[in-house]
Amino acid sequence: MTLITDRPGPGLARPYRFPQVVRRTVAGGRVVAAHLPGQNLAVALLLLDAGAGREPTGKEGLGGVLAKALEEGTAQRDATAYALAIEALGTELVTGLDWDSFQVSVQVPVERLHAAVELLAEAVRTPKLDPDDVRRVRDDEATALRMDWANPGPRADAALRADLFGAENRWGRPMYGDPDSVAGLDVEDVTVFHSEWFIRPGTLVVAGDLDRLDLDALGAAAFAGTGGGPVDRGGPIEVPTRPGRRIILVDRPGSVQSTLRLGHPSPHRAHPDHVPMTLAGTVLGGAFTSRLNHLIREVRGYTYGIRGDFASSRRFGRFAVSSGVQTAVTAPALVEAVGEITRTQETGVTEEELAVARSWRAGQLSVELQSPRAIASALTTLVVHDLPDDYHARLRESLLAADVAQVSAAAAAHLHPEALTLVVEGDAAVIRDELAASGLGDLVDHAS
């Protein structure tokens, strides 16, 4: 007996309404808030212009070490006393780091938010930064990175980033640094980075029932004792594409799989083509039903999964494909992947494919933007990328309105299969000759 079924078609994207955005200036800083009537939980997120892009080249990993050091006590109380105080409110500090920002947040019942913001500000503005604690945190972070880098993937990711953006640039190095860069940090590196970037006011993002919250009081608590003028955020970085493809081979002796990372530079987050680029990436590799996953997983059986998409920060972006394949099919998998990217760039997308991508992306908004924490995260996007307050309110319509011509034009403009860097982490002794004979590009060995 054979069971045959058709893939289900796209459903209707569920509607959603993004809450009203409120902005004000308080005590030298900015407050950006969203009103969630009747919501008993509230989130406060302090957004600082202290992302990984602010770290000096050669000092990668400062943000990660500092994030952990914030939990080691403050000028007012030791680590145990601070932990007891924050736990008494039923919350914890949640830190986050990306290329553009450093974020610290708390989520508590509405009536406890002011007290939680005071404790958040205490940790961020006046951390103890005891030298012994900082060194211990640094060593822990370096050890964790060594363990992570022993696995397939991180070395390939680092090789791709360095080739796309240049290892001499901060954005050409791993966001969280590498084991050596973190191990090489000293206490002064951490304290200087804190004094330079963490005493500036920043932006307080609030998501909750604003009828029960005093935004002025919250801002005053978050920005107390801060100072410093505006800093240059920098404009988009123009990263040229490579004049031809190249293959970078990262040797992993004895590996039974090859880790693949394919990529090239792409536009920054606020680029006007962001929505059609996102949809083109979804059709090509951003969903389980994508072209790449269908071909490489379902038709060829080379992998359990393959993903490709556009990702972007305030100043730069990249298109990248990632997968792991059996060693024996490394070269064929690369050939097929490059071919599919080329087909999408040359012929665009179909209405059937785009309908699925539109419905999924638009429908996800009604699922993703439900909780106070998700709303707070969406507000940070507005702040970091200078987007209008109604951006999220209009995003669903923008996704659903994108047509085949727009998305195909974005694929044609922003996919560059002829300029791909193809990083392969695998057993060089087994795969080198076949890669060299694939015709995909010049083969170079990565310097470990």
Side-chain angles (χ1 to χ4, degrees):
M1 181 178 179
T2 302
L3 295 177
I4 300 176
T5 185
D6 294 325
R7 177 185 294 174
L12 293 176
R14 293 173 56 189
Y16 85 106
R17 177 176 295 178
F18 196 79
Q20 176 186 358
V21 178
V22 176
R23 292 178 183 255
R24 63 182 63 179
T25 300
V26 179
R30 294 184 299 169
V31 177
V32 179
H35 183 35
L36 308 179
Q39 175 61 253
N40 289 320
L41 283 178
V43 168
L45 183 152
L46 185 61
L47 183 66
L48 301 175
D49 191 348
R54 294 294 189 188
E55 296 172 351
T57 302
K59 302 291 185 180
E60 298 85 17
L62 274 171
V65 172
L66 189 47
K68 293 293 194 303
L70 295 182
E71 303 173 4
E72 299 298 325
T74 69
Q76 292 83 2
R77 54 190 114 197
D78 64 21
T80 300
Y82 185 84
L84 290 172
I86 200 89
E87 289 172 5
L89 297 177
T91 189
E92 61 179 342
L93 289 184
V94 176
T95 58
L97 174 75
D98 57 28
W99 288 107
D100 302 314
S101 67
F102 188 100
Q103 306 171 16
V104 188
S105 65
V106 288
Q107 177 174 269
V108 291
V110 172
E111 63 273 11
R112 299 180 186 174
L113 189 63
H114 188 274
V117 169
E118 288 182 327
L119 284 173
L120 181 156
E122 180 181 324
V124 172
R125 311 303 189 183
T126 61
K128 189 176 182 181
L129 297 183
D130 178 83
D132 289 339
D133 291 336
V134 172
R135 284 189 283 265
R136 175 172 47 79
V137 167
R138 175 204 61 196
D139 293 345
D140 287 347
E141 288 294 288
T143 298
L145 281 172
R146 288 190 191 98
M147 295 173 64
D148 186 43
W149 280 57
N151 297 315
R155 288 199 298 156
D157 291 330
L160 177 61
R161 178 164 291 280
D163 195 68
L164 298 188
F165 301 112
E168 71 279 6
N169 299 312
R170 176 61 188 95
W171 50 90
R173 301 184 179 214
M175 182 187 298
Y176 295 102
D178 59 42
D180 291 336
S181 71
V182 172
L185 298 174
D186 58 35
V187 173
E188 185 179 6
D189 294 327
V190 176
T191 57
V192 168
F193 190 73
H194 178 270
S195 66
E196 186 170 0
W197 298 108
F198 281 58
I199 309 302
R200 299 177 186 273
T203 300
L204 183 69
V205 171
V206 178
D209 188 342
L210 301 188
D211 291 336
R212 293 186 281 165
L213 293 169
D214 185 338
L215 293 181
D216 290 330
L218 291 172
F223 306 136
T226 62
V231 295
D232 181 14
R233 287 161 53 111
I237 298 168
E238 297 299 327
V239 183
T241 54
R242 177 174 296 285
R245 281 193 301 266
R246 71 183 303 195
I247 304 171
I248 299 176
L249 180 53
V250 181
D251 191 17
R252 190 175 182 85
S255 179
V256 298
Q257 287 195 334
S258 294
T259 298
L260 309 183
R261 299 290 188 267
L262 293 63
H264 60 64
S266 67
H268 59 96
R269 175 63 176 77
H271 193 281
D273 283 350
H274 177 73
V275 166
M277 279 171 53
T278 297
L279 290 169
T282 302
V283 170
L284 175 57
F288 189 79
T289 56
S290 71
R291 288 180 172 184
L292 282 171
N293 203 58
H294 177 72
L295 175 62
I296 309 298
R297 172 192 158 101
E298 303 296 331
V299 176
R300 302 302 185 205
Y302 291 160
T303 182
Y304 286 115
I306 183 170
R307 184 173 183 84
D309 59 12
F310 290 95
S312 53
S313 67
R314 186 168 63 208
R315 305 188 66 192
F316 59 87
R318 64 99 182 105
F319 169 77
V321 174
S322 61
S323 186
V325 300
Q326 303 169 49
T327 295
V329 297
T330 301
L334 279 176
V335 170
E336 296 279 16
V338 172
E340 197 62 61
I341 296 168
T342 302
R343 181 171 78 91
T344 303
Q345 192 270 340
E346 292 178 347
T347 66
V349 303
T350 68
E351 176 57 41
E352 182 181 7
E353 292 172 319
L354 182 56
V356 174
R358 280 190 305 238
S359 176
W360 180 58
R361 287 291 183 185
Q364 282 291 99
L365 297 176
S366 61
V367 177
E368 294 173 349
L369 297 177
Q370 290 293 321
S371 69
R373 192 170 288 283
I375 297 296
S377 178
L379 293 178
T380 67
T381 301
L382 303 184
V383 175
V384 170
H385 301 292
D386 296 319
L387 299 172
D389 287 352
D390 65 348
Y391 173 80
H392 292 292
R394 295 186 293 105
L395 182 55
R396 179 178 183 273
E397 287 68 28
S398 298
L399 288 164
L400 293 175
D403 59 30
V404 167
Q406 291 172 315
V407 176
S408 295
H414 302 300
L415 287 173
H416 302 286
E418 78 291 346
L420 285 165
T421 294
L422 314 175
V423 178
V424 181
E425 181 181 1
D427 192 335
V430 176
I431 61 179
R432 177 183 280 108
D433 291 346
E434 194 171 6
L435 290 174
S438 67
L440 290 173
D442 294 335
L443 177 65
V444 297
D445 289 305
H446 181 256
S448 298

